[in-house]
Amino acid sequence: MGTALVTGASAGLGLEFAWQLATARHDVVLVARDEQRLTRLAGQLEAAAGIRAEVLAADLTDRGDLERVAARLRSDERPVGLLVNNAGMGLNQPFVDGDLAAEERALDLMVRAVMVLSHEAAAAMRARGRGAILNVGSVAGLIATGTYSAHKAWVRVFTEALAVELKGTGVTATVVAPGFTRTEFHERGRIDTAHYPEVGWLDAEDVVAAALADVRRGVVLSTPSLRYKAVSALLRLAPRSAVRAFGGYRRALPDAAQEQTAEH
């Protein structure tokens, strides 16, 4: 048993990570903005799995809140052995005509927070000679769907570089790159998914199980499901001009707000 810290733990993939880690007898540190929702989840996990669930309410786009989470990763009291950088934002807007402040918040959440928390976790874990970092990327990082793709491409390359640096230390770095996954992410982001093919959807339970299995094996690039492994291989081989033909930001549902934040 050990302690896992999960960002974006109140919904979506983060919620599924929290449940699967708890049922595998890991204590958990739950990080998200909604303290009430986290507290309710912590009680459910403790009752169902008999583990310790710690609530750390934080907005990772706020530098003070981010530092509180970083400090928890540095702590030697109930040290964190697995960091899951999952928190994400569904920013459904074009870049040029969009809200730049919203873009900066998305960058802070999906790039800066991942970098800062990975830095603190890696240093603490390396000193102990064991640990793992799991960053949630996306197949979108291989295409060109607005700045979301850019953020997820950064997460993939960053995690690969981190894995190289940590080789031989007892600490691993893994990036999981799922495709369309049934969570609250698209609904909260007011993203129109009516045109997405049914065959393309994955279940959150399967994505999380595959990701955690790959972490245990020390896999660096984790792509759940054979169909997305094939899609990812094709995207890597395809000319970038062909990949860009499918670019653009995601279509919004009617009356969608410019920015909707959600956990993956």
Side-chain angles (χ1 to χ4, degrees):
M1 290 190 296
T3 299
L5 186 148
V6 182
T7 70
S10 62
L13 287 179
L15 179 62
E16 184 62 31
F17 273 115
W19 273 105
Q20 290 199 26
L21 287 164
T23 54
R25 304 295 294 164
H26 291 275
D27 291 340
V28 291
V29 182
L30 307 172
V31 179
R33 294 176 304 166
D34 191 334
E35 185 170 10
Q36 183 177 3
R37 194 167 183 175
L38 287 181
T39 300
R40 183 169 61 251
L41 172 61
Q44 293 169 341
L45 294 174
E46 290 179 338
I51 52 87
R52 178 169 184 162
E54 179 182 340
V55 169
L56 185 49
D59 178 351
L60 297 180
T61 67
D62 179 277
R63 298 206 174 186
D65 281 7
L66 181 60
E67 170 54 28
R68 289 194 298 109
V69 181
R72 179 63 184 86
L73 290 167
R74 292 191 296 266
S75 176
D76 290 328
E77 183 179 353
R78 298 188 308 280
V80 172
L82 170 64
L83 166 64
V84 181
N85 277 313
N86 165 78
M89 175 183 290
L91 190 61
N92 194 20
Q93 64 173 22
F95 175 71
V96 177
D97 296 321
D99 178 1
L100 184 57
E103 292 286 358
E104 290 176 319
R105 287 192 293 275
L107 183 72
D108 282 344
L109 181 62
M110 291 187 283
V111 174
R112 188 177 190 278
V114 171
M115 178 180 67
V116 170
L117 298 183
S118 295
H119 182 271
E120 300 306 307
M125 292 173 184
R126 186 179 61 183
R128 294 191 294 269
R130 63 187 182 279
I133 296 168
L134 172 60
N135 294 327
V136 176
S138 173
V139 169
L142 297 173
I143 55 177
T145 54
T147 54
Y148 184 84
S149 283
H151 301 331
K152 294 305 183 181
W154 182 90
V155 169
R156 184 186 73 253
V157 176
F158 167 73
T159 307
E160 289 187 275
L162 182 59
V164 171
E165 186 172 340
L166 292 172
K167 187 175 182 180
T169 66
V171 183
T172 62
T174 299
V175 57
V176 60
F180 302 133
T181 305
R182 292 184 179 89
T183 68
E184 301 174 30
F185 182 78
H186 296 90
E187 181 181 353
R188 285 188 170 195
R190 300 296 300 275
I191 297 167
D192 183 3
T193 61
H195 62 295
Y196 293 179
E198 181 64 26
V199 70
W201 288 96
L202 303 174
D203 291 326
E205 181 178 355
D206 296 334
V207 169
V208 169
L212 292 177
D214 282 342
V215 168
R216 288 191 292 271
R217 290 193 293 267
V219 172
V220 177
L221 295 174
S222 173
T223 306
S225 87
L226 289 174
R227 57 185 178 275
Y228 275 108
K229 283 183 172 68
V231 168
S232 297
L234 288 172
L235 288 171
R236 290 189 180 97
L237 293 172
R240 292 306 295 177
S241 58
V243 173
R244 289 194 297 273
F246 294 94
Y249 72 98
R250 303 168 185 181
R251 297 190 303 176
L253 292 169
D255 301 320
Q258 282 295 304
E259 177 194 5
Q260 296 288 334
T261 303
E263 316 300 348
H264 282 125

